[in-house]
Amino acid sequence: RSRKSVGQCSAVQCFLTPLKGFRMKSTSLNYRDLRAFPCLSGLSDEDFAIIGKKAGLKAISKNDVLFIEGEPVKFLFILEEGAIKLSNISKDGRELIIRIMKPHDYFCCAPLLTGGKSLVNATAIDDSTIITIPGDYLKKILFNEINESCLRIITTLCSKIGHLSNIIKDLTFEDVEHRIIITLLKLAEERAHEDNEVTLKVPHQLLASMTGTVREVVSRTLLELKKEQVITDTNLRSIRVNKERLMRFLSKKTATSL
């Protein structure tokens, strides 16, 4: 059952129908069974007792959608049996499979610890059984076990996973011009958040490496953007960009591609 009609929904929502609220058949879970999973092996008996009372064991059918990209993450998932596909879907419906999860694999840890949203879609490719551990209880246990410095390192590493995920999606789904514009906008924001016109000391070769292309393509694309007055100046070692024009150009490009 789709959240919107086909005419209104996004590509992801049209292709995927999430099981809202985990409306799946539940079976009993003995907390001692959790000791078999490596990701929980370091917990104490007291921790296992707490998690065991809150964890659930859910059976889902082949092709059921567990969650979609962009939804708030409320659980840590551990796959007990079956197989779960983690993937991204482009605006035009192309799919990129990030990983096939196998028994004893766990997922959604990074966005759970950073209070973020799901980076992927999760779909059962076989009849599967998953363990769901509420994030609030898991974070309380983990945060009690480690000091503030370790916690800061862990959350920073987890937040970088989202950045890497976006790079993978851009390289897979977006054309070179789109990737260059997005990269220029990010660099300009980092360089001078308050300014509209920003000079970036970025050689064309470095920009090519950042966007997965070659220097000649970057130089050609920047000249085209200069003709469109999206960037105001460019040479082999620097680029002067107008952030407002870049954003308008990107919005127009995205709208015409839909």
Side-chain angles (χ1 to χ4, degrees):
R1 193 170 59 217
S2 179
R3 294 178 177 179
K4 300 179 180 179
S5 66
V6 173
Q8 294 176 310
C9 65
S10 67
V12 172
Q13 290 171 326
C14 288
F15 279 87
L16 303 175
T17 305
L19 291 168
K20 193 171 183 180
F22 300 106
R23 295 172 183 172
M24 299 170 284
K25 182 179 179 181
S26 297
T27 56
S28 61
L29 174 67
N30 187 326
Y31 79 86
R32 293 180 179 83
D33 297 336
L34 297 173
R35 294 183 182 279
F37 297 98
C39 63
L40 300 177
S41 60
L43 298 181
S44 66
D45 290 342
E46 182 181 356
D47 293 335
F48 273 117
I50 294 173
I51 288 180
K53 293 177 181 178
K54 301 297 181 180
L57 190 62
K58 309 290 184 179
I60 61 175
S61 302
K62 181 179 180 179
N63 297 325
D64 280 346
V65 176
L66 192 57
F67 54 79
I68 64 175
E69 180 182 352
E71 288 188 337
V73 175
K74 299 180 180 179
F75 297 89
L76 175 71
F77 299 96
I78 304 175
L79 184 61
E80 186 179 55
E81 295 179 340
I84 300 289
K85 172 181 66 176
L86 304 183
S87 67
N88 295 120
I89 296 179
S90 69
K91 295 184 290 291
D92 58 2
R94 289 176 292 154
E95 184 177 41
L96 170 66
I97 295 178
I98 304 299
R99 186 175 178 183
I100 303 295
M101 309 305 288
K102 299 177 181 179
H104 288 207
D105 285 342
Y106 63 96
F107 48 104
C108 283
C109 188
L112 182 67
L113 293 179
T114 56
K117 297 180 180 180
S118 171
L119 303 173
V120 294
N121 310 291
T123 308
I125 57 176
D126 286 319
D127 291 344
S128 302
T129 304
I130 59 172
I131 294 171
T132 61
I133 300 176
D136 290 343
Y137 291 95
L138 181 63
K139 287 190 288 186
K140 185 181 297 184
I141 289 172
L142 293 178
F143 294 170
N144 286 337
E145 295 289 336
I146 58 179
N147 61 41
E148 186 176 346
S149 296
C150 291
L151 176 60
R152 191 178 299 114
I153 292 173
I154 291 171
T155 53
T156 299
L157 290 173
C158 288
S159 66
K160 291 185 182 297
I161 293 176
H163 173 68
L164 294 174
S165 176
N166 288 331
I167 291 177
I168 292 172
K169 287 189 291 184
D170 285 344
L171 289 173
T172 304
F173 296 138
E174 304 296 351
D175 59 36
V176 173
E177 185 181 58
H178 185 105
R179 300 200 304 267
I180 290 173
I181 293 173
I182 287 293
T183 302
L184 290 175
L185 280 172
K186 290 179 180 177
L187 292 174
E189 278 294 298
E190 293 172 0
R191 177 73 175 81
H193 176 70
E194 300 295 333
D195 298 334
N196 183 43
E197 294 231 355
V198 183
T199 298
L200 302 173
K201 301 295 184 181
V202 181
H204 290 194
Q205 181 58 59
L206 178 58
L207 184 58
S209 298
M210 295 175 72
T211 53
T213 186
V214 295
R215 183 180 61 79
E216 291 77 9
V217 172
V218 166
S219 298
R220 186 166 60 247
T221 302
L222 291 176
L223 286 176
E224 290 297 322
L225 292 176
K226 187 176 180 181
K227 290 179 182 178
E228 296 286 340
Q229 297 183 330
V230 175
I231 61 176
T232 56
D233 192 23
T234 178
N235 57 57
L236 288 178
R237 293 205 160 273
S238 67
I239 306 162
R240 186 162 181 81
V241 305
N242 183 298
K243 291 192 288 187
E244 289 184 0
R245 292 177 185 174
L246 268 178
M247 287 186 284
R248 285 200 300 267
F249 186 83
L250 181 61
S251 297
K252 183 179 179 181
K253 174 181 170 60
T254 302
T256 56
S257 67
L258 294 176

